[in-house]
Amino acid sequence: NAGVTQTPKFQVLKTGQSMTLQCAQDMNHEYMSWYRQDPGMGLRLIHYSVGAGITDQGEVPNGYNVSRSTTEDFPLRLLSAAPSQTSVYFCASSASGGGGETQYFGPGTRLLVL
Amino acid sequence: ELKVEQNPLFLSMQEGKNYTIYCNYSTTSDRLYWYRQDPGKSLESLFVLLSNGAVKQEGRLMASLDTKARLSTLHITAAVHDLSATYFCAVGSPNAGNNRKLIWGLGTSLAVNP
């Protein structure tokens, strides 16, 4: 059972480039989310999804897009990378988002924008 | 707007000693989570606290929730080096339903020294 997987593990981008961070889970979880973690800032929610076809914004959604076409996958797109998006990105999933469930985190993607 | 504060942010303690980490939050919520993160790693769920007075224990760690005081504590008993990590609390946002939005504290970086 792979749990939550993320690719790539590391990425270096130039300002203005676009890319997609991949996230997949094999636990049939309805709820998936993307966080960014920055030193001194804790974790901040970027976007989340409560099921296929349903997404919503978190605390810091600007500059990021998401879609949820399947239960398993929840990619995060950076449309035009900026140095301020240098961060560690975590994807997480839980059973239904109905309260009380553990969120399982992926291993993270370290992104550097030059 | 929900705010979550942890203290202390940094904690250095000796093996064998006891200590408590505090997590305060600013608005009503009945869902509180504790996670552990080792350096360079992902986040691991420790406890999910769902009701006032909830207490959970795992090994040398015990977490409690007082929803009236908007306070959760993570108590460490007879600390050992393996407990060195960063500990985060996260609180379910009351405006988003269930745990669909979690607001995170900044984390407590714990170092247990011989």
Side-chain angles (χ1 to χ4, degrees), chain B residues 6-11 21-22 85-88 106-110:
Chain B
Q6 284 183 240
N7 67 82
L9 297 182
F10 300 95
L11 176 57
I21 299 170
Y22 297 89
T86 299
Y87 293 86
F88 291 93
L106 295 183
T108 296
S109 180
L110 171 65

Side-chain angles (χ1 to χ4, degrees), chain A residues 31 35 37 97 99 102-103 106, chain B residues 35 37 42 98-100 102:
Chain A
Y31 181 85
Y35 292 92
Q37 184 176 32
T102 297
Q103 283 200 52
Chain B
Y35 284 83
Q37 185 179 37
S42 187
N98 305 313
N99 72 345
R100 296 178 178 184
L102 290 186

Side-chain angles (χ1 to χ4, degrees), chain B residues 5 12 23 26 37 42 57 67-68 84 102:
Chain B
E5 293 186 358
S12 179
C23 176
S26 60
Q37 185 179 37
S42 187
Q57 183 165 4
T67 58
K68 295 180 181 178
S84 297
L102 290 186

Side-chain angles (χ1 to χ4, degrees), chain A residues 31 35 37 40-43 45 48 50 57-59 90 94 96-103 105-107 110, chain B residues 1 31 33 35 37 39-45 48 50 88 96-107:
Chain A
Y31 181 85
Y35 292 92
Q37 184 176 32
M41 300 291 290
L43 274 80
L45 182 65
Y48 67 97
V50 298
Q57 296 181 349
E59 298 174 81
F90 288 101
S94 64
S96 69
E101 298 121 356
T102 297
Q103 283 200 52
F105 281 79
R110 295 181 181 275
Chain B
E1 181 186 352
R31 288 166 174 80
Y33 306 79
Y35 284 83
Q37 185 179 37
K41 302 295 185 181
S42 187
L43 290 94
E44 173 190 358
S45 176
V48 180
L50 299 179
F88 291 93
N98 305 313
N99 72 345
R100 296 178 178 184
K101 286 188 179 181
L102 290 186
I103 306 299
W104 293 71
L106 295 183

